[in-house]
Amino acid sequence: MGEPINCREAAERLQDFLKQELTPELEAEMQAHLERCRPCFDEARFEANFVLMLEVRARRVECPAALRARIARLLQSEMERG
Amino acid sequence: MAEPSTAGRQFNAEALPHLDALYRTALRLTGDPSQAEDLVQDTMLKAYRAWRQYQPGTNAKGWLLTILRNTFINDYRRRKLEPIATDLELVEPHALYRAIEDVDPEGAFFAKIVDEKVLEAIDALPPDFREVLVLSDMEGMSYGEIAEALEIPVGTVKSRLFRARRLLQSSLYAYAVETGIIPPRENHDG
């Protein structure tokens, strides 16, 4: 594992961390920082809750059944045409 | 009814499970349920016709969302990319967390806003920001997948996502204060 990172570096990495786009090494450094820095941990939790909230809202919107059926019919006739 | 061919069955198996994601994204991009339905239908037909170019085993959802987005740009979005987004890229919106960490450190107020208002606030974001936020935070696409779908650099994806989230947080916060979901910030001067 690399050098301990400071709060500014942690803030810069927060978005990538929450998106799980950090390399394993950078992620481990970030984890280590969050474990010992309460203010950064709290901020990360706030941002994570926000993103989770968006995901939950998104999941509640579903493709209408009528559209689903219309698309199935269209594809069927498209497939029959070959 | 004739049995679908092997290719047809494969397409159904790979593509149909993503109809919810396609519809949700279409709704956010067009802002209109009937246009969203047409967009999803056009996307599925195009996808089926392009099925041979698709490599099975790659990310079907990302592939379909890319077709959806391109169809939207070419056939549904009459205007060119909004120049306003370029200006907004320079704006550094303030971090909501810093402003409300004393009153609501966990951002509990977000959960108290009804779905409809959250979606309205997303729809009100500038289009370039909105599409990145939708693909990333609502559909779970990675930076790389979004960059490929939108044909923009990964760095642009990141900065648009950053600003989209900040703008959305600010607008949801404003709404929450307006409707009494969260008390207005007190002035701690002196």
Side-chain angles (χ1 to χ4, degrees), chain A residues 46, chain B residues 95-110 173 182-183 185:
Chain A
F46 178 90
Chain B
L96 178 62
Y97 174 71
R98 292 274 168 247
I100 66 165
E101 59 182 318
D102 295 336
V103 241
D104 186 2
E106 294 191 31
F109 87 88
F110 289 127
Y173 176 69
I182 193 171
R185 243 180 290 162

Side-chain angles (χ1 to χ4, degrees), chain B:
Chain B
M1 211 192 278
E3 279 291 303
S5 62
T6 308
R9 276 201 306 275
Q10 268 179 3
F11 180 80
N12 284 341
E14 293 254 12
L16 294 181
H18 302 296
L19 276 179
D20 286 337
L22 291 174
Y23 178 72
R24 287 196 293 260
T25 306
L27 204 50
R28 298 279 76 74
L29 293 180
T30 62
D32 175 78
S34 95
Q35 271 200 34
E37 295 207 1
D38 291 347
L39 177 55
V40 173
Q41 184 178 313
D42 290 354
T43 300
M44 288 298 279
L45 274 180
K46 275 192 193 175
Y48 178 66
R49 287 169 189 158
W51 182 235
R52 280 172 192 82
Q53 293 155 35
Y54 170 74
Q55 303 288 312
T58 58
N59 179 352
K61 184 175 168 182
W63 180 71
L64 290 165
L65 285 172
T66 303
I67 295 175
L68 179 117
R69 194 264 180 184
N70 288 339
T71 307
F72 172 68
I73 294 292
N74 294 331
D75 304 342
Y76 289 73
R77 190 157 141 193
R78 300 273 170 251
R79 295 161 299 165
K80 292 202 137 213
L81 293 182
E82 311 240 326
I84 190 170
T86 323
D87 299 327
L88 275 170
E89 307 252 359
L90 303 170
V91 178
E92 193 67 49
H94 72 282
L96 178 62
Y97 174 71
R98 292 274 168 247
I100 66 165
E101 59 182 318
D102 295 336
V103 241
D104 186 2
E106 294 191 31
F109 87 88
F110 289 127
K112 294 182 189 152
I113 302 176
V114 295
D115 285 2
E116 195 192 349
K117 289 295 163 190
V118 174
L119 297 175
E120 264 176 36
I122 292 169
D123 292 351
L125 292 171
D128 292 353
F129 288 45
R130 184 175 65 220
E131 63 184 5
V132 171
L133 180 107
V134 167
L135 296 178
S136 167
D137 295 348
M138 304 191 90
E139 298 310 328
M141 286 171 77
S142 69
Y143 290 148
E145 287 164 354
I146 299 168
E148 207 175 301
L150 306 186
E151 295 175 322
I152 53 175
V154 165
T156 308
V157 173
K158 288 192 195 188
S159 65
R160 285 184 188 173
L161 180 60
F162 180 81
R163 285 165 178 80
R165 285 176 175 174
R166 288 277 174 97
L167 286 170
L168 182 58
Q169 288 184 356
S170 300
S171 97
L172 290 176
Y173 176 69
Y175 171 79
V177 170
E178 230 172 77
T179 52
I181 289 171
I182 193 171
R185 243 180 290 162
E186 284 169 42
N187 214 335
H188 288 299
D189 286 349

